[in-house]
Amino acid sequence: MSASFVEFHDLRKSFGAVEVLHGIELAVQQHAFVVLVGPSGCGKSTLLRMIAGLESITSGFISIGGRVVNRIPAKDRGIAMVFQSYALYPHMTVRENLAFSLEMAKIKKDVMKARIERAAGILHLEPLLERFPAQLSGGQRQRVAMGRALVREPELFLFDEPLSNLDAKLRVEMRVEIKALHQRLESTTIYVTHDQVEAMTMADLVVVMNDGRIEQSGPPLDLYDNPATMFVAGFLGSPAMNLIKGTVATDGSAPVLDVGDGLQLPLPAGIREKPGAEIVYGLRPEHVSIGPPGSGLPATITLVEAAGWETHLYADMGQHVARIVSAERLNVAHGDHVSLVPDVSCAHLFDATTGARLSID
Ligand SMILES: Nc1ncnc2c1ncn2[C@@H]1O[C@H](COP(=O)(O)OP(=O)(O)O)[C@@H](O)[C@H]1O
Ligand SMILES: [Mg+2]
C-alpha cells in the first residue's frame, strides 16, 4: 500500500462572506486516478485551483508528498494543470507552446528537447510540431494542452473538465487516451468533471461532491452498488436510479411501501423502519423487469428507446415515472399496459428527510 500523496484536512474556502467549501477531508494515494464529480457550482474547480495554488486557502490545509503547501507558490508545487479552455498561445507553434514553460523554468536546451520529443511521441504530436493552434482540430489542441502539462514531468496532474469542448465521439476517444496515458506514466492525477460517465469509467477513486461537501468517495462500483446517500444514488448511473417516496405499511405481516394510487411496493423483510415512516425506495432501472400480466405493478409504457445493445423504457406507474433498462430487445410499444416486477433484493432505502441510506437487517 503506497502512502497517501495528497491530503486535505478540514479544508474551507470562502469568497467574501460566502463559504463554498465546507471542511473537505480526503486522502489521495500516490499513482491514483481520482475523479472529483458533481453538479455545476458544487466547488470542484475551486478545490482544484486551491491544490494548484491559484486560489488561497481560507482554513485547513493541503499537503502534497508529505509537505504542507498552503504557503508554497503555485510554481513550486510540482503540479501541471490542464484546463477546459486549452489556453494555447496562438502566435506560437506547437513546439514553442510545449517549450514555453520549460524556458520559463530555465531548463537546459538538451533536456528540453528530449522532454518535448518524449511528450510529442506519447501524444502523437510529431507531425504537428511546426503548426499553429489555429491549424489544429479540437482534439489536437487538447492533446497539445496535455503535452504542455506532460513536458513539465509533474508529480501531480490536475485536469479541469478537459473534454467538455469536444464532440461526443472525440470525448470518448480522449477519455480512453487519458486513461491509457495514466496507466503508462502512473502520475498521480486529480480530474474534475460534471459527467458521471467519465467519473465511472476513468477513476480508481470517485469523489462525489455536492454543495461544497464530499457526499461519498470510493471505487466506482462500490459507489454504484452502495450509494451512501440519495444524492449519490441519483447522480451515478444512466438512466438514473428510480427513487420513489412512500410510507411504510404492512400487508399481512410483510412490509410494503404505500406509494399512492393504491400502489404498494414490496419491501425487504429486514427493514427497521416502523409503519408510518416516510422513506425513499431506490431501484436501478436494470433491477426492474416486465413480468406476466398481473404479476407486478401495473404501468403504462410512455417511451421506448432502442439503444441497440439494450432497451430503455419509461412507464407511468400511478403518479410515478418508472425507468427500466433491459439487455433484451423487448417487444413493447408506447401505450402498452405492462406489469413491472421490482427485484426487492436489490432495493436501496433512504431516509426521506436526510437522504441517508437506511440499513436493512
Ligand atoms: N472568484 C469567485 N468569487 C466568488 N464566488 C466564486 C468565485 N469562484 C467560484 N465562486 C463560487 O463558488 C462556488 C463553486 O464554484 P466552482 O468551484 O467554480 O464550481 P464547479 O467547478 O463545481 O462548477 C459557486 O457558487 C461559484 O459561484
Ligand atoms: Mg468548474
Side-chain angles (χ1 to χ4, degrees):
M1 186 84 182
S2 54
S4 66
F5 187 64
V6 183
E7 285 187 26
F8 308 109
H9 282 296
D10 196 22
L11 190 70
R12 289 170 191 270
K13 177 68 184 178
S14 300
F15 290 108
V18 183
E19 191 176 85
V20 299
L21 290 175
H22 315 289
I24 301 287
E25 297 279 340
L26 186 70
V28 171
Q29 302 299 304
Q30 193 155 22
H31 309 307
F33 196 112
V34 175
V35 178
L36 304 179
V37 65
S40 178
C42 72
K44 306 179 295 294
S45 294
T46 302
L47 183 55
L48 206 66
R49 291 169 56 78
M50 287 164 83
I51 304 168
L54 303 174
E55 202 72 77
S56 66
I57 293 169
T58 305
S59 72
F61 68 85
I62 301 178
S63 72
I64 301 173
R67 156 179 96 144
V68 174
V69 297
N70 287 36
R71 293 174 186 284
I72 296 183
K75 67 178 174 50
D76 299 329
R77 292 192 186 187
I79 286 172
M81 186 155 167
V82 180
F83 299 90
Q84 176 179 350
S85 64
Y86 316 129
L88 302 178
Y89 299 107
H91 58 289
M92 293 184 190
T93 62
V94 169
R95 185 189 298 282
E96 288 163 349
N97 264 283
L98 296 180
F100 185 72
S101 67
L102 301 180
E103 279 166 4
M104 297 307 279
K106 305 211 184 329
I107 304 283
K108 282 202 214 109
K109 276 268 181 292
D110 54 333
V111 176
M112 194 157 88
K113 189 157 177 288
R115 285 205 200 169
I116 290 173
E117 271 164 22
R118 179 163 175 267
I122 289 171
L123 292 164
H124 312 294
L125 295 171
E126 292 107 329
L128 310 176
L129 284 171
E130 309 315 324
R131 290 202 204 169
F132 289 93
Q135 299 168 305
L136 302 175
S137 70
Q140 290 169 333
R141 279 180 213 169
Q142 165 45 249
R143 283 215 295 273
V144 177
M146 275 166 51
R148 223 171 33 171
L150 207 61
V151 290
R152 298 176 53 194
E153 305 193 342
E155 289 189 86
L156 180 61
F157 261 116
L158 305 179
F159 289 91
D160 194 356
E161 312 228 11
L163 308 184
S164 316
N165 288 339
L166 304 178
D167 66 44
K169 183 163 178 285
L170 202 51
R171 206 153 59 217
V172 173
E173 285 172 19
M174 289 303 298
R175 191 170 92 196
V176 173
E177 274 192 41
I178 292 176
K179 186 69 186 166
L181 188 68
H182 175 257
Q183 282 168 355
R184 224 151 103 210
L185 302 178
E186 295 196 315
S187 329
T188 310
T189 301
I190 303 180
Y191 185 103
V192 159
T193 180
H194 64 271
D195 179 346
Q196 58 92 18
V197 178
E198 274 178 31
M200 290 295 293
T201 53
M202 296 176 86
D204 306 320
L205 184 81
V206 176
V207 178
V208 180
M209 291 180 64
N210 180 26
D211 202 11
R213 289 187 175 79
I214 294 178
E215 286 269 332
Q216 189 177 8
S217 65
L221 291 179
D222 283 8
L223 266 57
Y224 189 84
D225 292 338
N226 285 300
T229 66
M230 204 157 75
F231 179 84
V232 175
F235 192 77
L236 299 180
S238 176
M241 185 188 283
N242 294 290
L243 292 166
I244 297 178
K245 192 171 164 182
T247 310
V248 177
T250 48
D251 176 20
S253 61
V256 292
L257 192 68
D258 270 331
V259 298
D261 307 310
L263 288 174
Q264 291 189 326
L265 290 171
L267 282 170
I271 182 173
R272 295 176 182 176
E273 276 52 43
K274 298 281 171 277
E278 296 237 299
I279 67 166
V280 172
Y281 186 101
L283 198 63
R284 295 266 176 220
E286 61 268 33
H287 297 140
V288 186
S289 57
I290 295 184
S295 62
L297 298 144
T300 307
I301 300 289
T302 54
L303 192 71
V304 180
E305 292 177 339
W309 56 286
E310 60 182 22
T311 308
H312 301 173
L313 303 175
Y314 297 80
D316 280 344
M317 190 181 75
Q319 60 193 304
H320 307 283
V321 175
R323 293 179 285 273
I324 306 131
V325 169
S326 171
E328 325 240 314
R329 296 193 175 186
L330 299 175
N331 188 22
V332 291
H334 172 250
D336 284 359
H337 298 290
V338 294
S339 190
L340 300 182
V341 181
D343 182 348
V344 186
S345 68
C346 295
H348 307 262
L349 304 181
F350 301 98
D351 185 302
T353 312
T354 65
R357 184 185 189 86
L358 299 172
S359 51
I360 301 166
D361 288 331

